[in-house]
Structures are given as structure tokens and as C-alpha cells.
Amino acid sequence: MTENNLLRVDDLTIGFRQEDQIQYAVTGSSFVVAAGKTLAIVGESGSGKSVSSLSLMQLLNKEKVVFSSGRFTLGSSLADVSDGTTVNPTNTILAQLRGKKIAMVFQEPMTSLNPVMKCGEQVEEVLKKHLGVSHEKARKRTLELFQEVKLPRPDSMLDSYPHQLSGGQRQRVMIAMAIACEPKLLIADEPTTALDVTVQQEILLLLKQLQKQRGMGMIFITHDLGVVEEMADDILVMKKGQVVEYGSAADVLKRPSHEYTRGLLQCRPKAGNKHKRLLTVRDFEEHAMPEASNRIEKAIENIDFLCVSELCKTYTSTSFFAKTKQEVHAVDHVSFQISKGETLGLVGESGCGKTTLSRMLLGLIPATSGEIEFALQNRSYNVAAMSASEMRSIRKEIQIIFQDPYSALNPKHTVAKALIEPMTVHGIGTSKDERRSMAIELLNKVGLSEQHIDRYPHEFSGGQRQRIVIARALACKPSFIICDESVSALDVSVQAQVLNLLNDLKYEFGLTYLFISHDLRVVYYMSDRIMVMNKGKIEEIGLADDVFNHPQSNYTRKLLSAIPGKAL
């Protein structure tokens, strides 16, 4: 280990006990992290990325984990975990280093932060535990940390609860907590996955600034290869627990040697590739460098399927002490049309009104004013003026695919019940057996099989769960589907499969989409036109190529300039 190397991991093999067997999640992994440098670990879900990092922090379940081999060297501290069963209970070196020498920023700050503790208190707790400082010193240092991570109004943030902060602000609190004890190594596990492109850019810039100021080594775990290009000095590519490629960022990104790495790089939507089907990792593993085929296309009918006119949603906020009411215009006089068979992309930062607009289109929240007219069943329906009971008559025509497939599915219901229940409610099919046959047919449409129908959501991967959610949306034979961040949490290869699937289904069933995402590359690839929202208003709307390549609004140019890894 050279003097500049901060961390060295040798021959790490990790398994988990499952009944009488051991399932290995990581096999023979070795790598180094230099001081002041960033190692990016990339790969699909289940490749062993997070397990490797959690093992460094000793955060794995000690009753189930098995370390068959492995040695960690952090500076002058050595930890041998190769006793063949589990981490040696007498080996407390890593436990002592955790927090002071190694810290971690997790993917989802809302689940990592204590919801009943103020943000300031949570950082103070770390300082008191590891440094033994007084309450006054801990609070003063926490304020300095909040200023360092560039939280707005840091004084008030000390006494704010996590739910009162935005996603980007919560992630800054997590970063402040992680750097509180001046760690030498920072592990960032998918820290920007659920963030808007501009907030993501801010967080990435912040991490790089903190690393430069403190000389930290960093392990950055992500499935976004654009982010990897922005952050990494070295890249470790993992597949099914094994390291398949390891080298400098320039070599791995520009001259990948393994077909799996080439597959990951080619799965991402690219400018100029709009009319090609996306390649997947499987394509590269089964054929060496296959050519991308054209995706299925169908001409857009010159018929207004959805017309939105002067739509508004205003919320009134009141304070216990305030005498006046404050109005918040979540959606402010929005007007647009979607043609039959068209995909309209909708982009904008958090709080711009995307989700509020989509919920009004579905009739889930009432509009303050304006009209929403759907051309359904050879009739025109004004959703904004319909009651809940009236909406039931057209509910099956308008469906949504949610962002998180796990929370969108009832964990106590099998796939069969998830698919058959909406058919029963809307009178589709005449018998239970017929509906079950229809459910199996839907599973086949989305790339699953009959053997999956009696399983529960936890028995599937994230990509498979998203396919089940898509099948459920199709169960009612809808005309219009809102895709609300439906691929944002998926690995690039699974994302490519789902995007290809959505395009195929659009052609086969004559669907019309509203496609909402913070990934501008994905929106460009999927959309015929793109609509940009900012603070409740439409900032810009036009053909996808025009908006992406020749933006008219400064706000749109700002969003496009924040896309990570534009050279890839």
C-alpha cells in the first residue's frame, strides 16, 4: 500500500445465510482509494455495490452475514475479517473508526434522518458521541457545518424537522452529519438518485468542494454513469458480486474492455438516438456489439385527446400567529393540449407543479379553476367539473404509473390480486378464471410469466416490480397513462428495458402518455413534445428536438446545462 493510498480492500468475500445455505453477494473484491480521490463503484442492483460499502461501516446484519475472506487497511489500522463465519467480535477497530475516520451518506435522507428529532439535534448527537463536546460547542459546530454545506437560513434549519425541508436540503443535512467528525473516507451511496437535475448538480459540486478542502477519499456508489463521469478518478464495475473491470475513469469510460461495461454505457439514451430502441446489457452479453434497431413508431393522430385551459390550483397557508392568509399558486393558469397517440414530456424542478398538475388530470385533487377536457368514449369530459362519483365512470380510462413500485403495490397482495382487483372493480371480464387468464396475458406483455402470478412484491427486483405496476395500469384498458418518474430509481439496463416496453405498449394499445421525469435525457428520448414548468407556470413547450437542442428560455437552458456527463 503506497503512502497516498487511504483505504485498501483485499479479497473481500461476503455471503448471507439463507436457511442451510450461504448466498454470496461479493466474491474476491479488491480495490484501493487514494487520499483526495474518488472511486466510483457501478453496476446493476444486486451487483454487490452497497454490500461492499456497508461492510466497511460494519452495518450488515451480523447474525446473517458471513465474511469468508477479506482485509481492510485504513491508514495504519488493519482489520482482518476472514474468520470464515462473521466479523470477529473482538475486532473493534472498524467500529472505533466509524464516524471519526469513515462516514457514509445514504441514498434516501428521509428514511435515514429521525423524523421526530430536529435536524440540528441529530448532528449535535454525532459530535457529542464521537468527540465528547458540550451541548453549546456541539450546537455552535453544527451551525458552522450547516453553513459549510450551504443550507439556506442555517439558524432556522437547526430547529427544523426533516419533513419541513426539501429533498436537497435533507441531503445537505446528511452530508453535514457525515463530515462532522472530519472523516478521512466518505462513502456516498446513491446520494443524488431522487433529486432534480439542478439540485443534483449542487450536491455533486458540494461534495467535490468538501473533498478538496478536507483531502477526503471518497467511494461514490451510483448507477448513473453521467454522474460517474463528473465525480470519479477511478471506476470499479461490479456484476453479480464480482469485479469485472477496474481502472482509471478515462480508460473505463472511453475504452471499456468488458462487454458488461460496454452494455452499461450503451443503455443510456443519447442525443441523436431518438428513434432507436435502447440496447440492454443482455444484448451485449448475447451478441458482441449489436446494432440498435429502430423502435416501433406510429404516427400521431391530429386529434386533441386532452385539452387543458387556464388550469389553476391555489393553496392557502395560515399560521397560528399570522393574521393574514398567504396564497401559494401551485399551478398558475396552465394551458396545453395532447394529441391522441402522443407522448408529452413534463420536466421542471421539485415544487414547480408537475405532481399537482398530474393529480388534477387524474381527478385526485380538485382544481381551483380552469378546465380539463378528455376525449373519451366518443365524448368530451371536463374532469375539473366532475364529482368523485362521476369520475368513476371514466377512471379506468386514465391511469398512472408511480415512481416507487414497492410502495405502489400492497405487500400483502399477490400479483394476481393486484391485477385482478381493478378488473373486478371496473367490470372487466365475466368470471374470476377469465380475469386470471387476462392477468397472465398482461404479465406476458410486460416480460414476466405465469409462474410469477402468485408471488408477492418482495419476491421481485425493482425492475420486475415496475413491470407489475405497468401491467396493473394496463389491466383497465386505459387510453391515457401518466408516467410519474416511473424509471428514475431503476438501473440503466432495467431502465432501458422499461422504456422500450412503454414504447412498444404505446403502439400496441394506442396509448397516450404524459411522461414526467427529472432525467432530461430520458424525457427527450421518450417524448414527441416537451413542456417545461417553473413555479407553477409553463416556461416553454415545443418539439422535443427544438426544446433540447434550441431552448428558448433561460430556465430551460439552466436545466440542460446541469445534465451530468454530457460528453457520454
Side-chain angles (χ1 to χ4, degrees), residues 71-211:
R71 173 176 290 188
F72 307 141
T73 309
L74 182 67
S76 59
S77 302
L78 176 67
D80 192 341
V81 294
S82 57
D83 68 345
T85 55
T86 186
V87 176
N88 190 332
T90 61
N91 187 354
T92 59
I93 296 174
L94 280 178
Q96 293 172 350
L97 296 176
R98 187 168 60 199
K100 290 184 179 181
K101 299 295 183 182
I102 310 176
M104 191 164 184
V105 180
F106 295 94
Q107 177 175 352
E108 179 45 66
M110 195 60 189
T111 57
S112 302
L113 293 170
N114 190 328
V116 298
M117 284 182 68
K118 295 175 181 177
C119 293
E121 292 174 345
Q122 300 190 51
V123 180
E124 291 168 25
E125 185 179 48
V126 173
L127 292 165
K128 292 175 185 176
K129 180 175 182 179
H130 290 288
L131 302 182
V133 298
S134 65
H135 172 74
E136 291 75 17
K137 288 185 177 180
R139 188 169 178 83
K140 180 181 178 182
R141 178 58 183 148
T142 300
L143 178 60
E144 292 172 353
L145 288 166
F146 279 12
Q147 292 169 339
E148 191 172 357
V149 299
K150 300 178 182 177
L151 273 166
R153 307 178 308 282
D155 289 338
S156 63
M157 291 292 178
L158 289 173
D159 296 314
S160 298
Y161 290 93
H163 73 272
Q164 296 175 301
L165 277 61
S166 69
Q169 290 169 348
R170 287 194 291 266
Q171 198 61 284
R172 289 172 188 271
V173 173
M174 285 295 299
I175 294 170
M177 190 183 302
I179 66 172
C181 298
E182 303 283 341
K184 297 297 183 184
L185 177 67
L186 181 67
I187 302 172
D189 188 2
E190 301 273 12
T192 62
T193 295
L195 302 179
D196 294 325
V197 63
T198 51
V199 180
Q200 175 180 255
Q201 184 186 48
E202 293 170 1
I203 296 297
L204 295 178
L205 181 60
L206 172 64
L207 287 171
K208 287 195 285 189
Q209 289 174 341
L210 292 172
Q211 181 182 34

Side-chain angles (χ1 to χ4, degrees), residues 266-267 273-280 283 291-297 496-497 499-505 525:
Q266 292 297 320
C267 287
N273 192 34
K274 189 172 175 58
H275 301 294
K276 298 287 187 182
R277 288 179 65 80
L278 293 172
L279 296 169
T280 67
D283 292 326
E291 292 293 329
S293 60
N294 288 332
R295 74 188 193 191
I296 298 172
E297 294 286 345
Q497 296 170 25
L499 294 178
N500 286 336
L501 172 64
L502 288 171
N503 276 323
D504 292 345
L505 294 171
Y525 174 75

Side-chain angles (χ1 to χ4, degrees), residues 42 224-232 235 237 245 247-257 261-262 265-266 268 565 568:
V42 301
D224 189 331
L225 293 170
V227 172
V228 169
E229 186 190 28
E230 296 277 333
M231 296 295 293
I235 297 176
V237 183
E245 190 153 359
S248 70
D251 287 341
V252 173
L253 292 176
K254 302 302 180 185
R255 295 173 293 277
S257 60
T261 309
R262 292 198 294 270
L265 290 168
Q266 292 297 320
R268 305 166 69 246
L568 281 179

Side-chain angles (χ1 to χ4, degrees), residues 47 119 131 140 210 265 287 312 316 330 366 386-387 501 510 533:
S47 63
C119 293
L131 302 182
K140 180 181 178 182
L210 292 172
L265 290 168
H287 318 284
C312 295
T316 303
M386 295 173 71
S387 65
L501 172 64
M533 285 191 72

Side-chain angles (χ1 to χ4, degrees), residues 342-347 354-355 358-359 361-362 398-404 466 469-470 473 480-488 498-499 501-503 505-506 511-518 522-523 526-527:
E342 182 183 21
T343 298
L344 178 67
L346 177 57
V347 299
K354 301 190 303 292
T355 298
S358 68
R359 299 304 186 265
L361 296 181
L362 291 165
I398 310 169
Q399 292 293 310
I400 185 169
I401 301 170
F402 292 100
Q403 176 177 355
D404 182 1
Q466 194 61 286
V469 173
I470 293 171
F480 179 67
I481 296 180
I482 297 175
C483 304
D484 188 5
E485 300 281 7
S486 53
V487 296
S488 62
V498 172
L499 294 178
L501 172 64
L502 288 171
N503 276 323
L505 294 171
K506 174 185 173 182
L511 299 172
T512 303
Y513 289 143
L514 177 66
F515 194 91
I516 304 172
S517 179
H518 64 256
V522 169
V523 172
M526 289 295 293
S527 304

